[in-house]
């Protein structure tokens, strides 16, 4: 029987990328991109090839392997796995990029902001403070090549090859033997007598000064160049000068250096650093502190780096919602960060949270979701909308708070294109009928009519025929004048959905009655609509062959593009609907209804147009309109014709056999 030796490199759960190496710190280590075989997640792999006659160098590499494996700190390169064989060493860490390469890439893209540099240096100094003050270790290799950057833009300290104990129990500092690194040694090390009095951190703080100089000015040509701060910010120069002073005794402890730079007016005293520090300690913050933080976060996100928002802020926002009590306050920053994600990332990270939020009973959460729906509606698929979103949203139609009812109506402009037959043509129409007839808030009745005019083209042919004429006719009898205007504009904006017979026998008689309306704004719109409908009838009368073309949309299936004709034939109506509610602010200040700037039809890609911005109507007494009987006619709808309209528009309750009752008869639900 033959036995074959297993190849440890081949069995290693990580593999190197075929891409060229990214370099690495000066010395024997070579940095490669890699990935985990099981999941494909990206990693970085530092590889050291053992060479004959390089025993000292190999021992240094093995010591660095051990140090990185045992040291755990948020600002030190995170060890994941490792492999040690006779021929090589593999150290797997989080996916990172060498700082020098990162700065070069960002410079080509426009350069790093001072905010980013301040936080990056803060992280390196904090790591250095951890090593010196908590571990009694001297890094002995602080330089550009020892710093790496992860995908969130966080700076990580690596290059632990030449680290040694400050307590002298592990021997002196290892010999570097790399000329590129010797230029970062402080001047006192050149004094072989050892007479220079210094603190344990003195040499590393000198090297930190060299790193700061290189971050702002590029590669350090020689030690004498440190005398000229160059592009180092003025707020940092005094503290930088302390680092590169000739007297090692006066170089500050890393913790003291951070304290100095965080003082008022200091280089590291800014909103970006404060945000990062809060996020690092968010788990131990009080709920009130978290609420205040998330409320103020949105104002700052525009000035923060995109990678930071995606990879550091977003996970904290998701965690705060999932496990904390942040509630609705996380929504604004969450959707702001969501703009940085591609469609796939948005589906994976944001949509599950949004779906869960819609089931919340928190009113503040619900109204925030409705107000910001335009930011995420394009990422919701139809099954999700119909089964997980719409059933929760419709509860808003019955809410005792007028603001929630109004925002719910507004949201239908965005949801309608994604609703199925039953939800759109039956369930939604039932709620719209109730709001238009029974809601005590005039602005809500008005906006229900406006919304119906905008989503009319999505309704099935049978529903359009049954609902639109009745609904707009009812609106023209509303005691609230803007509702009557909305009814007229609704007729005109959906003109292509009516037959010539309906125009002549149902619509024009209603419009003619409005020519003597007490409000001039209603009369003006009525005359415009009458002239338009008469012009249409006259054109068909002159040329009957046009009838088929004019009525092509009447019996057509629902289509988002059908309403487009309204913009060309009755553009004044579409504009009128959009600007209608702005007039309410001037004519009816108490109604407080804002302008609804929503296009008549959706974008060519099929995505819904932005929703209007509506100001909540005047608060109503809870439950006032809900206590009315469904069959009770209001004072303004007392005539037989009005009652007939109410029955046509409001009797869409589905029956047990799958049909809908219409005019006291049973008819099949549209398929």
């Amino acid at each position: 029987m033959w036995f074959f030796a297993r190849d440890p490199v081949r069995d290693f759960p990580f593999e190197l990328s075929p891409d060229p190496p990214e370099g690495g710190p000066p010395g024997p280590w070579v940095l490669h991109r890699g990935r985990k075989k099981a999941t494909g997640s990206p990693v970085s792999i530092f590889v050291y090839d053992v060479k004959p006659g390089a025993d000292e160098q190999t021992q240094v590499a093995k010591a660095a392997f051990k140090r990185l494996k045992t040291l755990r700190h948020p600002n030190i390169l995170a060890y994941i796995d490792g492999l040690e064989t006779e021929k090589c060493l593999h150290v797997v860490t989080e996916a990172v990029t060498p700082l020098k390469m990162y700065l070069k890439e960002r410079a080509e893209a426009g350069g790093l902001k001072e905010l980013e540099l301040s936080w990056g240096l803060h992280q390196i100094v904090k790591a250095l403070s951890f090593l010196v003050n908590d571990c009694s270790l001297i890094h002995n290799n602080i330089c550009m090549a020892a710093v790496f950057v992860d995908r969130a833009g966080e700076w990580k300290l690596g290059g632990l090859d030449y680290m040694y104990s400050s307590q002298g129990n592990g021997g002196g500092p290892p010999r570097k033997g790399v000329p590129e690194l010797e230029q970062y040694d402080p001047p006192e090390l050149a004094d072989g007598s050892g007479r220079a009095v210094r603190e344990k951190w003195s040499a590393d703080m000198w090297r930190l000064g060299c790193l700061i100089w290189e971050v702002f000015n590029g590669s350090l040509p020689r030690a004498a160049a440190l005398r000229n701060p160059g592009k180092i910010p003025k707020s940092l120069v005094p503290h930088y000068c302390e680092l590169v002073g000739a007297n090692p005794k006066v170089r500050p402890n890393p913790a003291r250096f951070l304290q100095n730079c965080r003082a008022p007016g200091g280089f590291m005293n800014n909103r970006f650093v404060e945000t990062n520090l809060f996020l690092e300690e968010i788990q131990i913050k009080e709920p009130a502190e978290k609420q205040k933080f998330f409320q103020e976060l949105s104002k700052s996100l525009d000035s923060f780096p995109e990678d930071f928002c995606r990879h550091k802020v977003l996970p904290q926002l998701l965690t705060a919602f999932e496990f904390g009590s942040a509630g609705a306050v996380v929504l604004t920053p969450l959707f702001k960060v969501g703009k940085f994600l591609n469609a796939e990332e948005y589906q994976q990270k944001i949509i599950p949270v949004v779906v869960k939020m819609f089931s919340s009973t928190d009113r503040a959460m619900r109204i925030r979701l409705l107000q910001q729906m335009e930011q995420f509606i394009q990422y919701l698929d139809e099954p999700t909308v119909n089964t997980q979103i719409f059933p929760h949203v419709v509860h808003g139609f019955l809410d005792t708070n007028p603001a929630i009812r109004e925002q719910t109506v507004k949201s239908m402009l965005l949801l309608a294109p994604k609703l199925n037959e039953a939800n759109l043509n039956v369930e939604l129409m039932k709620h719209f009928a109730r709001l238009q007839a029974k809601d005590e808030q005039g602005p809500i009745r008005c906006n229900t009519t406006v919304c119906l005019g905008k989503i009319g083209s999505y309704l099935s042919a049978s529903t359009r025929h049954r609902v639109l004429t009745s609904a707009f006719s009812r609106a023209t009898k509303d005691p609230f004048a803007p509702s009557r205007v909305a009814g007229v504009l609704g007729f005109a904006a959906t003109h292509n959905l009516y037959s010539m017979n309906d125009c002549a026998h149902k619509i024009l008689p209603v419009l003619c009655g409005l020519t003597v309306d007490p409000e001039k704004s209603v009369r003006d719109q009525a005359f415009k609509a009458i002239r338009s409908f008469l012009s249409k009838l006259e054109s068909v009368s002159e040329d009957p062959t046009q009838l088929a073309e004019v009525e092509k949309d009447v019996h057509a299936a629902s289509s988002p593009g059908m309403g487009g004709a309204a913009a060309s034939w009755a553009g004044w109506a579409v504009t009128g609907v959009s600007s209608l509610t702005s007039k309410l602010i001037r004519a009816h200040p108490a109604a407080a209804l804002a302008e609804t700037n929503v296009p008549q039809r959706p974008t060519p890609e099929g995505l819904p147009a932005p929703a209007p911005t509506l100001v909540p109507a005047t608060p109503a007494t809870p439950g006032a309109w809900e206590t009315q009987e469904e069959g009770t006619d209001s004072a303004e709808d007392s005539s037989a014709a009005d009652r007939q309209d109410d029955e046509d528009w409001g009797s869409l309750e589905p029956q047990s056999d799958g049909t809908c009752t219409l005019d006291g008869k049973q008819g099949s639900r549209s398929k």
Side-chain angles (χ1 to χ4, degrees), residues 146-164:
V147 181
F148 302 87
V149 185
D150 69 7
R151 63 177 185 170
E154 304 277 271
W155 291 20
K156 308 283 184 172
L157 183 60
L160 310 183
D161 304 62
Y162 310 108
M163 184 179 290
Y164 65 96

Side-chain angles (χ1 to χ4, degrees), residues 33-94:
R33 290 182 181 178
R35 69 181 185 90
K36 189 172 184 178
K37 294 178 182 178
T39 63
S41 55
V43 295
S44 288
I45 304 178
F46 292 82
V47 178
Y48 170 76
D49 292 322
V50 178
K51 298 177 181 178
D55 294 343
E56 183 179 2
Q57 196 175 58
T58 300
Q59 291 304 316
V60 169
K62 288 183 177 181
F65 188 161
K66 182 179 179 180
R67 292 288 192 191
L68 190 61
K69 189 175 182 179
T70 55
L71 284 172
R72 296 289 182 177
H73 188 270
N75 305 128
I76 292 179
L77 198 58
Y79 173 90
I80 296 177
D81 201 350
L83 173 68
E84 183 176 347
T85 69
E86 295 179 354
K87 297 182 179 180
C88 65
L89 294 175
H90 284 197
V91 177
V92 182
T93 71
E94 58 187 316

Side-chain angles (χ1 to χ4, degrees), residues 466-537:
R466 182 174 67 244
V467 165
L468 294 184
T469 304
S470 298
F472 295 141
S473 296
R474 169 187 287 175
T476 62
K477 303 175 182 69
D478 195 292
F480 189 53
S483 290
R484 301 198 295 276
V485 174
V488 176
L489 295 174
F491 273 131
T494 56
H495 73 95
N496 59 310
L497 304 179
Y498 308 112
S499 66
M500 292 297 97
N501 280 331
D502 284 347
C503 292
H505 296 111
K506 295 183 179 180
I507 298 175
L508 279 173
V510 173
L511 295 176
C512 288
L514 295 175
T515 58
V516 292
D517 191 275
E519 292 287 337
K520 188 175 187 304
S521 60
V522 178
R523 299 195 300 271
D524 291 344
Q525 296 296 343
F527 280 118
K528 283 185 179 181
I530 289 170
R531 285 192 290 268
S532 298
F533 277 103
L534 286 176
S535 174
K536 189 174 183 180
L537 288 168

Side-chain angles (χ1 to χ4, degrees), residues 236-301:
L236 183 58
V237 168
H239 310 299
Y240 160 78
C241 291
E242 291 181 349
L243 300 180
V244 295
N247 185 355
K249 189 69 176 177
V250 299
R251 294 175 199 152
N253 183 289
R256 181 55 185 257
F257 179 80
L258 279 182
Q259 185 179 352
N260 294 340
C261 290
R262 290 280 293 135
F267 179 65
M268 297 179 185
N269 182 27
N270 56 63
R271 178 63 179 165
F272 189 52
V273 172
E274 291 171 1
T275 299
N276 276 282
L277 293 175
F278 189 96
L279 289 174
E280 288 184 349
E281 301 175 352
I282 194 170
Q283 302 302 330
I284 60 174
K285 296 292 185 180
E286 294 294 326
E289 293 179 294
K290 294 180 183 179
Q291 288 278 334
K292 182 180 179 182
F293 172 76
F294 287 125
Q295 286 173 346
E296 298 175 351
L297 180 60
S298 294
K299 305 174 186 176
S300 306
L301 288 177

Side-chain angles (χ1 to χ4, degrees), residues 293-457:
F293 172 76
F294 287 125
Q295 286 173 346
E296 298 175 351
L297 180 60
S298 294
K299 305 174 186 176
S300 306
L301 288 177
D302 290 333
S303 62
F304 289 173
E306 180 178 325
D307 288 340
F308 167 77
C309 294
R310 292 174 57 200
H311 300 297
K312 189 165 183 180
V313 175
L314 179 58
Q316 292 293 350
L317 291 172
L318 298 177
T319 301
F321 170 75
E322 191 74 22
F323 304 107
S325 56
V329 74
V330 305
L331 286 177
T332 301
L334 180 65
F335 292 134
K336 207 163 190 177
V337 174
K339 296 177 181 179
F340 298 128
L341 305 180
N342 57 41
E344 183 179 356
E345 290 175 321
Y346 205 101
Q347 285 286 348
Q348 293 175 350
K349 298 178 180 179
I350 305 292
I351 292 304
V353 175
V354 169
V355 171
K356 187 174 180 179
M357 285 177 174
F358 270 106
S359 63
S360 172
T361 56
D362 181 5
R363 274 180 165 172
M365 176 80 75
R366 287 162 54 195
I367 201 165
R368 288 278 187 90
L369 282 169
L370 296 174
Q371 289 170 341
Q372 302 187 58
M373 186 178 289
E374 61 183 313
Q375 298 192 42
F376 58 83
I377 185 65
Q378 63 266 38
Y379 300 104
L380 294 172
D381 55 35
E382 293 185 10
T384 300
V385 169
N386 285 283
T387 61
Q388 301 182 62
I389 304 294
F390 185 74
H392 296 294
V393 172
V394 291
H395 293 312
F397 290 125
L398 305 174
D399 201 285
T400 56
N401 188 326
I404 293 182
R405 297 202 304 276
E406 194 164 35
Q407 288 295 336
T408 304
V409 171
K410 167 185 169 180
S411 69
M412 293 303 113
L413 293 167
L414 300 170
L415 290 177
K418 296 177 181 285
L419 294 180
N420 59 26
E421 178 81 8
N423 285 336
L424 178 62
N425 293 287
V426 179
E427 187 69 17
L428 180 58
M429 294 300 102
K430 178 180 69 176
H431 288 290
F432 269 22
R434 181 183 295 110
L435 287 175
Q436 195 191 43
K438 306 295 183 182
D439 201 287
E440 65 179 14
Q441 295 294 324
I444 293 179
R445 298 195 303 272
C446 174
N447 279 282
T448 302
T449 303
V450 170
C451 183
L452 182 63
K454 291 179 176 294
I455 68 172
S457 61

Side-chain angles (χ1 to χ4, degrees), residues 629-642:
E629 292 293 326
E630 284 291 329
T632 303
D633 294 321
S634 57
E636 68 272 19
D637 293 332
S638 57
S639 68
D642 293 345

